[in-house]
Amino acid sequence: MNQTRRTFLATGAAATAALGMPAILRAQPSEYVIGASLPLTGPFATAGQLVAPVFTMARQLINDEGGIAGTPIRFVTEDSGYIPQNALANYQRALATEGDALVAYFGDSTGFMKLVAPELTGDQARLMGSTSFASELANPATNPYQYLAGPTYQDQFDILLQNIKDQGGSSVAFIFSNTEFGRDPIEHGKMRAEELGIEVVLEETTKAQGADIPTHVTKLAQSGAEYAILQGYVTGVWPQLIGGARQFGLPTQFMGTFWGMEKLIADRVTEEAGPFLDGYQGVMPYRYFYDREDAPRYQTFAAMASEMFAGTPLENYMSTWALQTMCALDIAIKALRDTAEAGQELTADNLSAALSGISDWDTGGFFGGPVTMENNKIGTGRVYQYSAESRLFTPTSDWFTV
């Protein structure tokens, strides 16, 4: 007869008590498994392919640090093609294959996180981080097992709008893709702008790819916006919008949110099309990888990357997307270790409770200081500005917590 970890615990409780051993020790499998879906193909394959190698580094680092209360971890990653149904099938396959050894999962999109949410009940529930900063997920009452490794898109709009206010700005345009990702913070942003006395003079929706740049730039020019916040883009559209506006002679100050803040993209655009992104600003939850002086965790990553990824683009630089993944994994590992060290079984409910208990946590430098998990998110970030000359994003604000 096959015996699961839970049935073993139930039937073996008396024997465990007789031996005087903590239950958690008797429940440990030979290894724990964390599954992941990544967009290794499809529209966001660039991001997925830059993120995939860090799972190898994370496994070595976490196991060198003792795994989960002495038990090593293993990652199982699969391609989703950025299709939520594919990622859901990957998750269901991981559950069927790994069983109770599967203790956490990393999703690749807001679409997947929303699709899988109703399935996270009973024995099918696992602690789940992802690439998403969707505001809807930051609600422990409706999504108790899902968490964000940073601020929601609404929080990021709050940070940018406060920064605009602090700079004396009075008008802003919201330009966003016609996706759930793009629309997420718009209504909230309008309310926050009104509270701050900033007029939203344009709400412009674009295609996520292949947008009609001249038309959108013309509408931006007609609006007279001092600032434009771009939302819902990753590798494309946002640089073309800025380039089109500069060709049009617009003085508008452009700002982006997390997925529009990758140095590799800005550098490539600068190299191919010139320095028109100079001065572009946006919000980042984390330090950039080259800002390591006060970030011992980053220093560890750098030492490992120089050895593990020698001769590749990852040898000296980790993308913002890779940092988000490492932060999400560190959050999961903290919840797993805190739960195991408390002598509790690694159930989704226990891990959710541990997640909610993360307070004044020193992450080793991802953020500007100790952070607290509130509503299953970490609502902090700061504004950075890109220099086409130095090819660096550097901070122009202090850290905001919202």
Side-chain angles (χ1 to χ4, degrees):
M1 180 181 74
N2 291 331
Q3 194 171 36
T4 67
R5 179 158 58 93
R6 289 185 175 86
T7 56
F8 174 87
L9 281 173
T11 57
T16 298
L19 290 170
M21 298 175 65
I24 188 63
L25 296 180
R26 300 296 292 173
Q28 289 177 346
S30 60
E31 61 182 2
Y32 292 119
V33 177
I34 297 177
S37 282
L38 301 175
L40 301 176
T41 57
F44 300 134
T46 299
Q49 291 166 9
L50 283 169
V51 165
V54 305
F55 283 87
T56 302
M57 186 170 77
R59 179 182 183 182
Q60 179 174 321
L61 175 60
I62 294 165
N63 287 337
D64 286 350
E65 293 173 338
I68 309 300
T71 300
I73 66 155
R74 171 169 58 88
F75 288 105
V76 175
T77 60
E78 292 190 90
D79 179 26
S80 68
Y82 199 68
I83 298 173
Q85 290 79 4
N86 289 354
L88 178 61
N90 292 343
Y91 176 64
Q92 292 169 333
R93 187 162 44 249
L95 281 172
T97 303
E98 306 297 341
D100 289 341
L102 184 76
V103 290
Y105 201 83
F106 183 80
D108 68 338
S109 67
T110 298
F112 164 68
M113 294 292 273
K114 291 185 178 181
L115 184 64
V116 75
E119 307 238 349
L120 301 181
T121 60
D123 287 348
Q124 304 299 301
R126 296 294 185 275
L127 187 68
M128 188 169 291
S130 76
T131 59
S132 178
F133 291 118
S135 307
E136 180 180 327
L137 301 180
N139 185 345
T142 56
N143 299 79
Y145 310 120
Q146 297 179 325
Y147 65 91
L148 277 63
T152 66
Y153 295 124
Q154 292 182 2
D155 293 337
Q156 294 179 42
F157 261 51
D158 285 352
I159 291 169
L160 291 177
L161 289 167
Q162 184 61 56
N163 187 257
I164 290 172
K165 179 68 175 179
D166 292 346
Q167 294 182 41
S170 61
S171 65
V172 65
F174 293 162
I175 303 178
F176 50 98
S177 65
N178 58 352
T179 63
E180 195 169 28
F181 171 28
R183 292 185 292 269
D184 181 300
I186 301 304
E187 291 303 315
H188 173 84
K190 288 161 59 179
M191 290 188 291
R192 183 59 181 152
E194 184 176 3
E195 291 171 357
L196 292 171
I198 299 170
E199 184 181 4
V200 180
V201 293
L202 176 68
E203 297 173 49
E204 182 71 358
T205 306
T206 78
K207 292 181 179 178
Q209 294 178 305
D212 181 358
I213 300 299
T215 297
H216 299 308
V217 169
T218 299
K219 290 184 179 179
L220 178 62
Q222 293 169 341
S223 76
E226 299 170 294
Y227 293 83
I229 298 179
L230 309 176
Q231 164 67 17
Y233 309 104
V234 180
T235 57
V237 177
W238 68 269
Q240 289 82 8
L241 282 167
I242 299 173
R246 294 295 174 252
Q247 286 183 334
F248 206 84
L250 296 186
T252 310
Q253 173 65 57
F254 286 91
M255 294 180 147
T257 53
F258 173 77
W259 290 99
M261 292 296 290
E262 175 47 53
K263 165 182 159 55
L264 294 174
I265 302 302
D267 288 354
R268 188 179 69 190
V269 170
T270 299
E271 188 171 330
E272 294 178 353
F276 65 82
L277 292 182
D278 193 58
Y280 168 66
Q281 298 184 70
V283 63
M284 264 288 290
Y286 321 112
R287 300 172 193 270
Y288 279 85
F289 191 56
Y290 43 78
D291 181 13
R292 293 197 286 269
E293 183 176 348
D294 297 319
R297 194 65 170 167
Y298 281 21
Q299 294 168 17
T300 299
F301 296 163
M304 296 183 71
S306 66
E307 180 177 334
M308 298 180 69
F309 306 133
T312 77
L314 298 174
E315 178 180 359
N316 298 310
Y317 178 73
M318 285 179 66
S319 69
T320 54
W321 311 326
L323 290 173
Q324 184 208 31
T325 300
M326 290 298 292
C327 185
L329 294 176
D330 273 5
I331 291 170
I333 294 300
K334 177 167 178 55
L336 286 160
R337 285 174 174 162
D338 287 352
T339 302
E341 290 167 5
Q344 297 178 328
E345 193 177 359
L346 302 185
T347 64
D349 285 330
N350 288 339
L351 294 172
S352 176
L355 190 74
S356 299
I358 293 176
S359 178
D360 291 325
W361 175 39
D362 182 355
T363 63
F366 281 100
F367 306 95
V371 294
T372 296
M373 184 69 71
E374 292 184 357
N375 293 325
N376 288 3
K377 60 155 184 171
I378 297 172
T380 187
R382 67 177 169 182
V383 178
Y384 283 78
Q385 184 175 56
Y386 181 71
S387 166
E389 181 178 359
S390 67
R391 306 287 177 95
L392 296 175
F393 281 93
T394 55
T396 60
S397 79
D398 203 347
W399 292 93
F400 289 91
T401 297
V402 294

